[in-house]
Amino acid sequence: MAEYDYDIGIIGGGAGGLTVAAGAAQLGAKTLLIEKEKELGGDCLHFGCVPSKTLIKSAHVYHLMKNAERFGLPKIDVPPVEFGNVSNRVKAVIRTIQHHDSVERFCGLGAQVEFGHPNFTDEHAIRLNGKNYTAKSWVIASGSSAFIPPIKGLNRTPYITNREIFYLDHLPKSMIVLGAGPIGIEMAQAFNRFGTAVTVVAKGPQILSKDDQDLADAVMETQSSEGVKFYLNHSIEAVNDLGNERKITIKHKDGSTVSLKAETLLVALGRVANVEGLGLETIGVEHDQRGIKVDNRMRTNHKHIYAVGDVNGGFQFTHAAGYEGGIVVSNAIFRIPRKADYTYLPWCTFTDPPLGNIGMNETMAGKGRRRLYGLDRRIQRQ
Ligand SMILES: Cc1cc2nc3c(=O)[nH]c(=O)nc-3n(C[C@H](O)[C@H](O)[C@H](O)COP(=O)(O)OP(=O)(O)OC[C@H]3O[C@@H](n4cnc5c(N)ncnc54)[C@H](O)[C@@H]3O)c2cc1C
């Protein structure tokens, strides 16, 4: 029997990877966790859920203060937002949670943590910082990044994504949000409430296209009444850098064009799986731009290599990544075959009003849930 350095090796220290690492290490498996950033925690902690929900809370409180009279309370003259204070609060909340996702905690659980950019050299081995590491099973949990489409002029124009928006040094006077998915729509409302003039551009006929139209429309109506401008059914033709401002040209599906200008451009046009540089081609792990192909036990086409969380292109939520991590612990460590079942998966879009879902909504039932979420390929290989 082949001897390996580790029972399980995990690439990516975010929601999915940390769940596997904690579970495997506590069960006594020899566990290696590899992260490319300086700290553990992944997108959720540093560039996703935690900073976005913290920012949204501040924007919500500010909005209530400005509208106190509507609740029978004394009218308050609320001064403008000191954005530095909001940013400091976001950083403080991240620091508090970082403690739970610290290297010390995971080493204490029994895992070995290494930092760097690993790449597979064969089906059981990776190379990292000039050393080879072998494991019986591997878990790829490298997450996703903002999709940057090939829009004319975009590569010559400063823009931000979810990696920068929570670390801005001042409140932009104006912002164009490209994309009307959950990230774009949550940020549109929060920044608009802080005082940024926000415009949202989307190609489709409704915002939050995975939600039922009547609910998405209710969210849009609220945001419109608060001052957010929407351009639906518009494709982005070109982007220009004007120095202090960015200009975008958008085209309605009837052929008419409009130019918009703003200080800041937020690109929130979907996500791509982080598969670059892992050496997946070397060992033949099947993947496309949406993600690594897995069956419902989270196994790739190499049965001892698993892929969990955003990188497999399924449901892109923190709790989904954690759930899939648990499936891997069961299959790879306990050796108890366990399949993922998303029938009652809940999720929420943290707008005001918020949108909550459990399981299939009307849109999913109409379009076919599997097709909508790209899960058909996962089901095929059951
Ligand atoms: C703005 C925003 C708001 C969000 N809000 C919510 C929300 O409210 N609720 C919710 O459920 N979900 C939310 N999400 C989604 C959630 O953040 C992701 O679904 C979740 O983080 C996925 O976990 P993961 O483990 O797959 O990936 P991640 O948490 O991103 O972890 C992947 C880790 O792998 C590391 N990595 C990448 N490549 C390599 C490599 N080559 N080598 C080593 N390490 C690597 C990364 O640095 C990262 O630490 C939000 C996302 C964004 C962007």
Side-chain angles (χ1 to χ4, degrees):
M1 271 244 305
E3 285 282 317
Y4 301 107
D5 303 330
Y6 296 89
D7 297 314
I8 191 159
I10 303 147
I11 299 175
L18 293 179
T19 304
V20 180
Q26 286 180 97
L27 287 165
K30 205 167 174 212
T31 304
L32 172 68
L33 173 64
I34 305 167
E35 168 56 49
K36 76 170 169 56
E37 300 283 341
K38 289 194 194 100
E39 287 174 308
L40 301 176
D43 257 22
C44 181
L45 179 57
H46 298 284
F47 311 107
C49 333
V50 172
S52 67
K53 270 71 254 182
T54 308
L55 203 79
I56 287 167
K57 181 69 180 182
S58 294
H60 184 63
V61 172
Y62 188 60
H63 179 74
L64 291 178
M65 287 163 69
K66 287 208 281 191
N67 292 281
E69 254 183 318
R70 279 174 36 197
F71 300 93
L73 298 170
K75 181 173 168 33
I76 319 171
D77 279 331
V78 191
V81 168
E82 290 275 354
F83 196 66
N85 294 339
V86 176
S87 295
N88 287 341
R89 179 166 175 272
V90 170
K91 287 175 198 147
V93 171
I94 293 173
R95 268 200 308 277
T96 305
I97 300 176
Q98 182 72 74
H99 199 61
H100 299 276
D101 290 351
S102 64
V103 174
E104 294 71 29
R105 178 165 166 255
F106 279 84
C107 290
L109 294 176
Q112 180 178 337
V113 182
E114 296 290 338
F115 289 90
H117 292 77
N119 64 292
F120 282 99
T121 50
D122 72 43
E123 286 177 24
H124 284 279
I126 56 113
R127 187 144 182 92
L128 175 72
N129 303 328
K131 283 168 75 177
N132 296 322
Y133 297 82
T134 59
K136 187 174 177 196
S137 302
W138 282 97
V139 184
I140 304 168
S142 50
S144 66
S145 303
F147 171 58
I148 308 299
I151 298 169
K152 193 176 156 201
L154 189 59
N155 58 355
R156 295 187 298 276
T157 307
Y159 61 84
I160 60 170
T161 67
N162 67 297
R163 283 196 70 100
E164 294 81 23
I165 191 163
F166 306 113
Y167 300 95
L168 295 175
D169 57 9
H170 72 284
L171 184 70
K173 283 195 174 54
S174 52
M175 182 186 291
I176 295 171
V177 180
L178 302 183
I183 296 172
I185 292 300
E186 286 182 358
M187 289 303 99
Q189 187 167 43
F191 275 85
N192 189 68
R193 286 180 164 187
F194 285 140
T196 300
V198 177
T199 306
V200 177
V201 178
K203 198 169 182 183
Q206 75 166 74
I207 65 166
L208 302 171
S209 61
K210 287 175 183 170
D211 285 288
D212 292 336
Q213 170 126 29
D214 49 349
L215 301 181
D217 285 351
V219 171
M220 191 168 106
E221 261 172 55
T222 305
Q223 295 201 8
S224 298
S225 72
E226 292 176 8
V228 179
K229 293 194 173 61
F230 289 92
Y231 286 85
L232 303 185
N233 293 311
H234 278 82
S235 56
I236 308 150
E237 295 293 291
V239 176
N240 291 92
D241 184 15
L242 304 180
N244 291 339
E245 279 186 319
R246 330 291 153 216
K247 183 175 122 183
I248 71 160
T249 307
I250 56 174
K251 188 172 175 186
H252 191 266
K253 62 179 187 183
D254 69 10
S256 59
T257 57
V258 185
S259 286
L260 306 168
K261 289 180 196 167
E263 179 187 330
T264 301
L265 200 56
L266 170 65
V267 179
L269 291 162
R271 312 283 301 167
V272 284
N274 293 333
V275 290
E276 293 298 316
L278 291 170
L280 299 186
E281 293 77 11
T282 312
I283 56 167
V285 170
E286 285 177 18
H287 64 282
D288 57 24
Q289 208 192 21
R290 289 191 65 138
I292 297 175
K293 300 184 181 192
V294 291
D295 64 10
N296 57 7
R297 287 164 67 180
M298 302 298 129
R299 299 175 302 185
T300 67
N301 52 312
H302 295 302
K303 299 300 177 213
H304 68 285
I305 303 180
Y306 299 79
V308 301
D310 284 12
V311 77
N312 70 27
F315 289 94
Q316 296 189 322
F317 303 112
T318 293
H319 49 285
Y323 172 66
E324 293 174 354
I327 298 283
V328 170
V329 172
S330 184
N331 285 298
I333 306 297
F334 277 123
R335 297 277 157 195
I336 298 173
R338 197 175 146 215
K339 295 176 181 176
D341 176 1
Y342 302 95
T343 311
Y344 301 110
L345 184 86
W347 73 91
C348 182
T349 304
F350 293 83
T351 45
D352 179 15
L355 289 190
N357 284 277
I358 293 182
M360 207 183 288
N361 60 23
E362 201 181 326
T363 302
M364 293 160 95
K367 286 188 186 171
R369 178 182 191 219
R370 290 171 179 182
R371 190 153 55 83
L372 192 63
Y373 283 92
L375 291 175
D376 44 352
R377 58 160 198 245
R378 185 177 285 171
I379 308 294
Q380 277 165 14
R381 273 216 300 269
Q382 276 181 35

